[in-house]
């Protein structure tokens, strides 16, 4: 019951203040969200300034489809609760802000919380003169293996691309292929089949054709590339769960590293059936927005890898706890790493990857020259690995003046993510 406001007529201590003495003399003086799009995708950066000259932190709050809503939560709702607080109390601040609206979770609030949370870890690292991965217990690997994306109009194009990546040192590659005569996720359109039937919906999603195309793709890849390269495929929750079971079973002979998002968050109970029917490893979770959603999946060992979009669950603090919980159940991490995670968010992924014994794999994104200029210190990728930086904090800076040169695209509702449609015109989940 949210009747607190009605009963607090007299001025009272700010509810966000903890009952203990602030641990340091430093105070938060400003909290702001900044939107920029140096690579075309709108990124949301949170900057937390402090009373110590030159000491500030940066966090990733990118929910590109609702960027302005996240910025409003940061500027209008979180900033007033943070100004005057000691940035050292990261856990208490995360707990306080999480319940400060009574209703909690969801991608808008969580991304706003993540921007603040990462910025506070960045500040703590800068205060200590240590990278964040040192604050998490230090590294447990030299560098972080990453996977990249191969896609083609037919299986041979995909095989050629994987081969080229292998020559650059990649050992893990996600593979997506066009579906003849239909649209698909993560691959270019195939040439229209000769004598194709007239269709009601151009580029419609055709689950049966997709299932055949994926089976043919992986048969071809193994034949062409041999057994060693680790192959990944993202179903992107597009099929009926029955088809997900069939795809996982069909792909068993081709020894995938994992099959990603075979079912939608609304269909998680199907994972039990899928698990009972196939040994193809499963990765899931980039759409989850509450760490509690992972509980049955991890506890019952219904997946092998968690695909968390770290900013969508609230930042480093909840992700670190979740990773530790997963370790107890033999579940590994595969943090989401697309282009709608800012370089600051990728640095947070890297810090967790370095420090987690149950790290599995990291999705990479290569930022172009404009993004690298706006975000100096962008994590370095070479030889199929992400390499740690010794810079204090998250190690990525933000040139706000330069960022103004890349304003976000006008927000056109529905343009950031258009749902696919089936042949009869009905909307298909993403
Ligand atoms: Mg995915």
């Amino acid at each position: 019951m949210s009747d607190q406001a009605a009963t607090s007529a007299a001025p009272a201590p700010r509810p966000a203040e903890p009952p203990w003495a602030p641990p340091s003399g430093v105070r938060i003086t400003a909290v702001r969200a900044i939107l920029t799009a140096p690579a075309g995708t709108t990124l949301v950066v949170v900057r937390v300034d402090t009373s110590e000259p030159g000491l500030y932190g940066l966090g990733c709050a990118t929910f590109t489809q609702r960027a302005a809503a996240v910025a409003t939560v940061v500027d209008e709702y979180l900033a007033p609760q943070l100004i005057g607080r000691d940035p050292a109390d990261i856990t208490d601040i995360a707990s306080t802000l999480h319940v400060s609206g009574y209703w909690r979770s969801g991608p808008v609030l969580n991304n706003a919380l993540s921007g603040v949370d990462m910025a506070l870890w960045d500040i703590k690292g800068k205060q200590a003169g240590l990278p964040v991965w040192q604050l998490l217990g230090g590294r447990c690997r030299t560098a972080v293996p990453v996977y990249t994306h191969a896609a083609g109009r037919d299986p041979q194009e995909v095989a050629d691309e994987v081969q080229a990546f292998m020559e650059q040192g990649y050992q893990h590659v996600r593979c997506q292929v066009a579906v003849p005569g239909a649209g698909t996720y993560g691959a270019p359109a195939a040439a229209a089949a000769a004598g194709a039937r007239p269709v009601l919906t151009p580029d419609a999603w055709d689950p049966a054709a997709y299932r055949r195309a994926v089976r043919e793709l992986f048969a071809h890849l193994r034949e062409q590339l041999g057994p060693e390269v680790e192959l990944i495929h993202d179903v992107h929750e597009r099929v009926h769960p029955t088809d997900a079971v069939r795809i996982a079973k069909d792909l068993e002979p081709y020894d995938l590293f994992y099959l990603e998002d075979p079912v939608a968050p609304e269909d998680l109970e199907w994972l039990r059936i899928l698990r009972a029917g196939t040994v193809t490893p499963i990765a899931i979770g980039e759409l989850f927005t509450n760490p509690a959603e992972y509980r049955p999946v991890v506890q019952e060992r219904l997946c092998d890898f968690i695909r968390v979009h770290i900013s969508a669950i609230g930042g480093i603090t909840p992700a670190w706890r979740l990773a530790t919980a997963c370790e107890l159940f033999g579940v590994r991490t595969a943090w989401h790493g697309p282009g709608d995670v800012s370089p600051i968010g990728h640095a947070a992924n890297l810090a967790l990857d370095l420090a987690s014994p149950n790290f599995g794999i990291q999705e990479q994104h290569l930022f172009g020259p404009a993004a690298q200029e706006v975000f100096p210190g962008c994590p370095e990728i070479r030889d199929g690995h992400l390499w740690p930086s010794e810079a204090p904090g998250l190690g990525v800076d933000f040139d706000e003046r330069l960022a103004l040169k890349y304003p976000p695209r006008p927000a056109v509702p529905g343009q950031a993510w258009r749902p696919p449609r089936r042949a009869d015109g009905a909307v298909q989940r993403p």
Side-chain angles (χ1 to χ4, degrees), residues 185 234 236 260-261 286 307 336:
Y185 167 78
D234 191 352
H236 219 260
E260 176 173 345
D261 283 347
E286 73 185 48
R307 284 282 292 153
H336 197 217

Side-chain angles (χ1 to χ4, degrees), residues 98 105 110 288-296 298 312-314 318-319 322:
H98 178 62
S105 292
N110 283 353
F288 294 4
T289 55
N290 184 336
E293 287 175 273
Y294 285 97
R295 190 162 49 220
V298 173
I313 64 163
L322 179 62

Side-chain angles (χ1 to χ4, degrees), residues 343-409:
I344 300 162
H346 281 269
N349 283 347
L350 170 59
L352 292 161
D353 295 336
L354 281 168
S356 300
N358 57 324
F359 162 79
I361 191 66
Q362 177 60 56
E363 182 180 23
Q364 76 159 21
H365 183 78
L366 294 176
F367 287 98
Q372 299 216 23
E373 243 189 319
V374 171
F375 294 94
C378 207
E380 181 197 356
I381 297 173
R382 64 182 152 83
D383 304 327
H385 289 76
L386 256 174
W387 293 84
S389 154
E390 296 287 342
L394 288 169
V396 179
D397 211 346
F398 178 56
D399 187 331
E400 200 174 330
R401 190 171 298 178
L402 194 56
L404 292 175
K405 273 179 58 185
Y406 306 100
R409 287 173 174 175

